[in-house]
Amino acid sequence: LGRMKPVIVVHGGAGRIFKEREEGCRAGVVRAVLRGYGVLKQGGSAVDAVEEAVRSMEDDPHFNAGCGSVLNEKGEVEMDAIIMDGKNLDSGAVSAVKCIANPIKLARLVMEKTKHMLLTDHGAHLFAQAMGIPEIPGEKLITERSRERWKKNLEPDSNPEEFQKDLGTVGAVAIDSDGNVACATSTGGLSNKLIGRVGDTACIGSGGYADNHSGATSTTGHGESIMKVVLARLILYHMEQGMSPELAADTALDYMKTRVGGLGGVIVVNKAGEWAARFSTKQMSWAAVKDDNLHYGIYSGEKHIKSVDEALASEREG
């Protein structure tokens, strides 16, 4: 069997990225993709790689996942995450979890240590305890920025919709040298959401989907719109019909926009290792590595390319 060349793509969320946060978002997706690629280069699985990349972004306060998550109406962090293995369609997810640093780790444990696919809130909390996942104070996940934003949204004349444009869900897709694909997605959800609101991220086929027969995708954007069209699965369906990753992504995003008025972004890799990062929002931070070349950007049409070695060298200096 010919060995596949490993490929990994990550996103740091579609929406509007404020000027002062651009550099941090770019650096964050680059760091995450290099970490995930490191796992693949050492012979690690696609599942290992996407988990590692997403964990890196959960730990980065620039993104709305893990530390840096937005706050619900009560001023708390509630997070959703999903991971999926394209080899056998195994998946694990958690929703509305609090007080843990890395929901993606917990999602992976749901996939591997239970017969279930999705644990929520209190049940997810009990499972995390049973698995020895350390609990951290909820405040540890809250950044000054998230708190400011929550307060602003509470003002009587505020328009939380305006703030939703800066979403920052994180995700990763990969194909390893055995040709297995995987996806992972993690988020803090919508700012000032109702307590117990679960968006697309934790829902298989919406927040992500991975199948060795076609490819893998992770989504970001307006969760309720993504759920209405089951965006991740829709993209894979288009690829099964023979579309390239880019055309499949654009076709599905276009459908979501015309049918339900929703905007978002997606990253895709197909079973041949071709990849795409596409979005209908103003911006989406993304990065990809293929053939030892790093590609990354934020704006539509923006695409920087440098060698992985060069990128790793400047990471070490930074």
Side-chain angles (χ1 to χ4, degrees):
L1 244 171
R3 303 284 278 169
M4 278 295 303
K5 278 188 178 156
V7 179
I8 181 165
V9 194
V10 308
H11 69 72
R16 187 182 62 202
I17 297 163
F18 296 105
K19 266 278 181 267
E20 73 274 9
R21 301 170 51 72
E22 264 181 31
E23 274 324 292
C25 286
R26 258 198 207 96
V29 288
V30 166
R31 187 180 312 121
V33 86
L34 290 172
R35 282 204 188 157
Y37 192 62
V39 170
L40 293 171
K41 281 301 260 194
Q42 284 156 18
S45 67
V47 172
D48 288 339
V50 294
E51 181 190 3
E52 179 58 32
V54 165
R55 206 174 56 79
S56 168
M57 292 183 285
E58 285 177 341
D59 292 342
D60 187 328
H62 281 92
F63 303 109
N64 174 15
C67 176
S69 288
V70 298
L71 310 187
N72 66 14
E73 56 175 358
K74 213 170 103 189
E76 296 174 334
V77 164
E78 286 187 316
M79 302 165 291
D80 305 333
I82 194 168
I83 193 163
M84 186 166 183
D85 184 344
K87 190 164 44 188
N88 45 17
L89 306 187
D90 274 352
S91 178
V94 292
S95 69
V97 295
K98 302 182 186 81
C99 303
I100 63 164
N102 298 110
I104 200 65
K105 253 170 107 164
L106 191 56
R108 173 134 191 208
L109 288 168
V110 170
M111 173 168 84
E112 291 179 349
K113 305 285 184 201
T114 78
K115 294 191 172 77
H116 308 311
M117 287 171 77
L118 173 58
L119 291 182
T120 192
D121 198 353
H122 184 58
H125 172 72
L126 294 175
F127 176 66
Q129 277 180 331
M131 289 289 121
I133 297 226
E135 203 176 308
I136 60 167
E139 296 75 68
K140 275 245 162 67
L141 298 170
I142 299 177
T143 57
E144 199 37 55
R145 176 168 171 270
S146 297
R147 198 179 289 289
E148 282 304 303
R149 187 163 159 183
W150 173 70
K151 281 199 194 120
K152 265 207 184 103
N153 284 344
L154 287 180
E155 290 165 12
D157 55 350
S158 83
N159 174 15
E161 286 304 305
E162 223 354 82
F163 286 92
Q164 298 320 0
K165 300 203 170 73
D166 179 25
L167 286 163
T169 296
V170 306
V173 296
I175 187 164
D176 59 30
S177 48
D178 293 327
N180 293 315
V181 299
C183 70
T185 313
S186 180
T187 190
L190 290 177
S191 193
N192 298 62
K193 62 191 178 179
L194 293 181
I195 290 165
R197 178 263 189 187
V198 176
D200 65 294
T201 300
C203 301
I204 188 170
S206 293
Y209 202 81
D211 181 352
N212 281 6
H213 295 163
S214 42
T217 180
S218 168
T219 68
T220 166
H222 184 244
E224 281 73 12
S225 299
I226 290 170
M227 291 158 95
K228 286 174 186 176
V229 302
V230 197
L231 186 63
R233 192 64 192 80
L234 181 59
I235 291 165
L236 291 193
Y237 165 77
H238 287 316
M239 293 201 301
E240 287 156 6
Q241 304 300 306
M243 286 188 190
S244 69
E246 190 162 307
L247 184 57
D250 287 348
T251 304
L253 283 169
D254 196 50
Y255 175 73
M256 182 167 84
K257 193 173 173 179
T258 52
R259 187 71 179 84
V260 298
L263 301 180
V266 299
I267 49 173
V268 193
V269 64
N270 71 7
K271 63 181 181 185
E274 299 167 320
W275 63 275
R278 309 292 293 168
F279 47 100
S280 52
T281 50
K282 276 214 172 68
Q283 288 145 299
M284 178 177 81
S285 53
W286 63 272
V289 176
K290 182 178 181 174
D291 294 330
D292 286 314
N293 278 318
L294 163 73
H295 309 249
Y296 61 98
I298 285 186
Y299 292 94
S300 191
E302 173 192 2
K303 189 173 187 176
H304 307 281
I305 303 180
K306 54 168 97 160
S307 79
V308 165
D309 291 340
E310 189 190 336
L312 282 170
S314 56
E315 276 287 296
R316 280 190 291 271
E317 286 157 28

